[in-house]
Amino acid sequence: MHKMTGRPDDDVQSILSNIREIACDFASQRAERQRRRELMKEDFDKLRESGYLMVAVPSEFGGVWDGDDVGTRIVCDILRTLAHGDSSIALVSAMHQSVIRSSGWLSIPKAPEPYTEAWDEQRRWVFQTVAEGHFWGTIMSEPGSGGDNTQSTSKAEPASNNGQYLLSGQKHFGSGSGMTSFMVTHAMPDGEMTPDTFVLDMRDLIWDGSSGVKLIAPWDGHGMTATQSHGMVFDKFPATRLAFPGDERRAILARIDRPQGASFVAVIVGIVETAVSTARDQLEKKHDRMRSYERAEWAKVEIEAWLVQQAYEGMLREIEMGRPSGRNSLLAKEAVAELSESILLRISKIIGGGAYSRHSPYGFWLEDVRALGFLRPPWGLAFERIFDGSWDS
Ligand SMILES: Cc1cc2nc3c(=O)[nH]c(=O)nc-3n(C[C@H](O)[C@H](O)[C@H](O)COP(=O)(O)OP(=O)(O)OC[C@H]3O[C@@H](n4cnc5c(N)ncnc54)[C@H](O)[C@@H]3O)c2cc1C
């Protein structure tokens, strides 16, 4: 593996070529990996060694992140490459950077008084944990919240006056549970009207309730089967509030036009690319004997796969050109979600009955790509935002 040099441009190239190597190795174990229902520590050790974690650390802190305009393509291309090898690991990896960014540590370099010093200290601490090799994740979602964080009913009671709280509530979809050292979540602080963001230290815990967290629903997804996106209940679990708390931080974040969900799109694009090229190879020998229905369906696969590429490229280009990145990535996310399901269904029909078997990779990929529509913002919320945004100037 290529080693990090501390020169961001060189390091980006090293990470990408390390990830290519890892994805190739993962792809060679595809049949076994697609049946996995759990994450393996050695895979995350490899990712750590690849330097990938440093995409969540700004270049001035020794990482490779240089802002959304250039950084989004870099992160997306890395995740898309990783997804060529293993869908679940790529999705868990996507959470690492996206949660550090969405919490504001990457996009708010300086907080106003009285939070300036504490925010600065917390940012340094977060980046330090990453440099030391810790994975970050999120267990934000709550049953019945419809993917909307502002609906959180979890509670946070102050435990001291230095940002420490005790958090109680039920959470689900905590992708990467067991591999991530720190997880970000939302809860309503005592006496306040809006939920805020908290950090949970998830290291070395037994999930039996004795340390304030209990595993109540081990992940049983139809797709993304090995993401360990468990459901947990927290009972007075120690939590650290963001050092720039409250409405003011949320208002700043709301004003920043961020490409939310772009990394999820990248993962699914990677899966579609691998599925299409696998199917093309498989069909090569019989393509002149294909029936007219199969030929027409394959032509549609080509058209839709082309549209997926255009959506991905268009999303990144709009970000690089400084155009409204939030709306464009949302449109790309929903377009790719619908197209990728359609592509995998068509491929299965063309390949024939064998594709329905668990010996074939296509059924696994079909379920994996279905995750995109459920990922934040899930279908209903996403379409509402797209509809409402139509009349925004
Ligand atoms: C593979 C995978 C991995 C994921 N990983 C993570 C992760 O790491 N961390 C994380 O935090 N989340 C994660 N998620 C969760 C994801 O981000 C969404 O929060 C989740 O899928 C929301 O689902 P839902 O809205 O359909 O479900 P629910 O909240 O159960 O809602 C079900 C339906 O009820 C309706 N509804 C519920 N509440 C409302 C409301 N308030 N207003 C209007 N309608 C409502 C909606 O029609 C909604 O579709 C993951 C999801 C998947 C599929």
Side-chain angles (χ1 to χ4, degrees):
M1 285 223 207
H2 298 266
K3 295 272 174 246
M4 298 295 104
T5 60
R7 294 187 298 277
D9 288 347
D10 294 343
D11 287 347
V12 165
Q13 290 315 315
S14 301
I15 297 169
L16 197 53
S17 87
N18 290 340
I19 293 291
R20 251 184 234 121
E21 209 177 290
I22 292 174
C24 222
D25 182 39
F26 287 176
S28 70
Q29 306 149 4
R30 172 157 299 131
E32 181 267 320
R33 284 180 174 272
Q34 285 192 318
R35 283 171 180 72
R36 283 191 191 175
R37 299 216 66 101
E38 54 190 25
L39 294 165
M40 307 250 181
K41 189 178 166 296
E42 61 257 33
D43 291 343
F44 287 82
D45 291 341
K46 280 191 193 133
L47 286 179
R48 193 175 285 121
E49 215 189 311
S50 76
Y52 169 70
L53 293 184
M54 298 307 274
V55 299
V57 176
S59 43
E60 69 265 33
F61 289 86
V64 300
W65 178 254
D66 229 346
D68 284 340
D69 292 1
V70 285
T72 310
R73 184 183 288 274
I74 293 169
V75 174
C76 285
D77 279 349
I78 293 172
L79 291 168
R80 173 181 150 217
T81 305
L82 189 55
H84 293 159
D86 189 310
S87 312
S88 289
I89 291 189
L91 184 61
V92 169
S93 302
M95 302 295 169
H96 169 74
Q97 197 269 349
S98 60
V99 74
I100 290 180
R101 205 194 50 190
S102 65
S103 298
W105 292 306
L106 289 176
S107 37
I108 309 179
K110 191 172 189 301
E113 291 296 350
Y115 310 115
T116 317
E117 200 184 325
W119 182 245
D120 190 50
E121 200 179 306
Q122 191 172 59
R123 287 183 78 226
R124 284 175 191 282
W125 170 73
V126 171
F127 302 144
Q128 184 61 33
T129 64
V130 176
E132 285 166 3
H134 294 286
F135 275 85
W136 283 67
T138 172
I139 184 157
M140 197 83 84
S141 301
E142 291 184 23
S145 66
D148 182 352
N149 309 332
T150 62
Q151 305 292 319
S152 172
T153 58
S154 295
K155 304 265 179 270
E157 49 181 282
S160 70
N161 53 8
N162 61 352
Q164 300 305 308
Y165 284 73
L166 294 173
L167 190 141
S168 302
Q170 193 181 325
K171 301 277 178 182
H172 61 175
F173 290 114
S175 299
S177 290
M179 298 295 142
T180 50
S181 300
F182 302 97
M183 289 190 114
V184 167
T185 196
H186 271 202
M188 184 80 81
D190 262 5
E192 298 185 28
M193 303 297 286
T194 324
D196 208 0
T197 312
F198 293 82
V199 176
L200 311 174
D201 184 343
M202 302 296 286
R203 289 174 292 178
D204 307 321
L205 296 172
I206 303 169
W207 302 326
D208 63 356
S210 57
S211 49
V213 54
K214 189 170 183 180
L215 173 64
I216 49 165
W219 177 240
D220 66 349
H222 281 291
M224 295 295 182
T225 56
T227 49
Q228 296 193 180
S229 306
H230 299 325
M232 310 263 195
V233 68
F234 293 91
D235 182 21
K236 296 192 177 1
F237 187 83
T240 306
R241 192 167 179 177
L242 258 59
F244 173 16
D247 290 338
E248 218 179 323
R249 186 192 79 257
R250 289 192 290 268
I252 293 176
L253 285 175
R255 281 197 301 274
I256 304 175
D257 189 17
R258 292 169 299 156
Q260 282 160 319
S263 52
F264 302 148
V265 173
V267 170
I268 303 307
V269 170
I271 299 171
V272 170
E273 285 171 338
T274 303
V276 173
S277 68
T278 308
R280 193 181 285 118
D281 288 349
Q282 193 174 338
L283 293 169
E284 193 172 1
K285 279 198 210 74
K286 72 159 204 179
H287 79 270
D288 49 355
R289 285 178 288 117
M290 277 161 67
R291 293 180 192 279
S292 48
Y293 169 76
E294 293 157 354
R295 287 168 183 240
E297 283 296 289
W298 184 257
K300 287 183 188 166
V301 166
E302 290 283 357
I303 294 165
E304 290 177 345
W306 183 83
L307 287 172
V308 164
Q309 289 296 326
Q310 303 314 308
Y312 178 71
E313 191 48 47
M315 169 185 83
L316 295 175
R317 192 189 52 231
E318 298 290 293
I319 296 165
E320 286 163 345
M321 293 177 76
R323 303 239 182 86
S325 56
R327 179 151 180 92
N328 281 308
S329 30
L330 181 59
L331 291 168
K333 175 179 174 289
E334 301 315 306
V336 173
E338 292 196 332
L339 289 165
S340 54
E341 286 184 21
S342 166
I343 291 169
L344 262 303
L345 272 177
R346 290 186 202 283
I347 290 179
S348 301
K349 290 175 191 166
I350 305 163
I351 296 284
Y356 198 65
S357 144
R358 287 173 66 83
H359 290 102
S360 158
Y362 304 103
F364 293 95
W365 282 324
L366 170 60
E367 292 296 345
D368 291 342
V369 300
R370 278 194 337 111
L372 184 58
F374 296 114
L375 284 157
R376 202 168 316 219
W379 291 111
L381 198 54
F383 274 70
E384 206 163 275
R385 283 185 192 165
I386 289 174
F387 181 84
D388 292 344
S390 274
W391 289 274
D392 288 350
S393 57

